[in-house]
């Protein structure tokens, strides 16, 4: 967390939104991204957005991959607990 990443979100009606930002917090069902723009918007996404490829995260080669690995490992640990989406699990 704390490194600037590039995000591409495939929203409703095939609207694609691209932005840069940092992951501020990670919770059980969602993570929060602070967008790098003059308004400093806050956006939240579920881990299911990554698994369904609605949200793509891009890292430049020189960035620290630690936060992406942590996020990936967290998603895998949630998936190993259940297998289907419900209020406690995103898989």
């Amino acid at each position: 967390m704390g490194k600037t990443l590039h995000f591409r979100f495939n929203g409703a009606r095939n609207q694609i939104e691209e932005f840069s930002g940092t992951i501020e917090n990670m919770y059980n069902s969602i993570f929060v991204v602070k967008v790098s723009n003059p308004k400093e918007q806050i956006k939240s996404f579920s881990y299911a957005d990554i698994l369904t490829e609605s949200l793509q995260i891009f890292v430049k080669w020189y960035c620290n991959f630690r936060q992406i690995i942590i996020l990936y490992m967290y998603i895998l640990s949630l998936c190993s607990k259940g297998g289907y989406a419900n209020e406690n699990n995103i898989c």
Side-chain angles (χ1 to χ4, degrees):
M1 295 193 315
K3 297 287 183 183
T4 301
L5 304 169
H6 187 74
F7 298 86
R8 179 181 295 151
F9 182 68
N10 297 322
R13 292 184 252 162
N14 295 326
Q15 294 179 356
I16 298 175
E17 181 181 3
E18 293 190 26
F19 56 91
S20 295
T22 58
I23 297 175
E24 290 292 311
N25 289 308
M26 296 169 59
Y27 302 100
N28 288 339
S29 300
I30 64 167
F31 60 97
V32 178
V33 176
K34 185 175 183 181
V35 179
S36 302
N37 65 15
K39 295 180 185 179
E40 291 191 346
Q41 295 173 314
I42 301 292
K43 295 181 180 273
S44 62
F45 299 96
S46 70
Y47 300 108
D49 291 332
I50 296 172
L51 294 173
T52 60
E53 298 182 3
S54 295
L55 178 68
Q56 297 174 324
I57 303 174
F58 300 93
V59 183
K60 294 187 180 180
W61 67 271
Y62 57 85
C63 289
N64 182 351
F65 290 100
R66 183 174 183 270
Q67 71 187 49
I68 297 301
I69 291 170
I70 291 170
L71 180 61
Y72 180 72
M73 296 302 288
Y74 184 75
I75 292 169
L76 288 179
S77 71
L78 288 177
C79 291
S80 67
K81 292 179 184 175
Y84 294 100
N86 58 41
E87 64 275 3
N88 299 320
N89 195 349
I90 60 166
C91 300

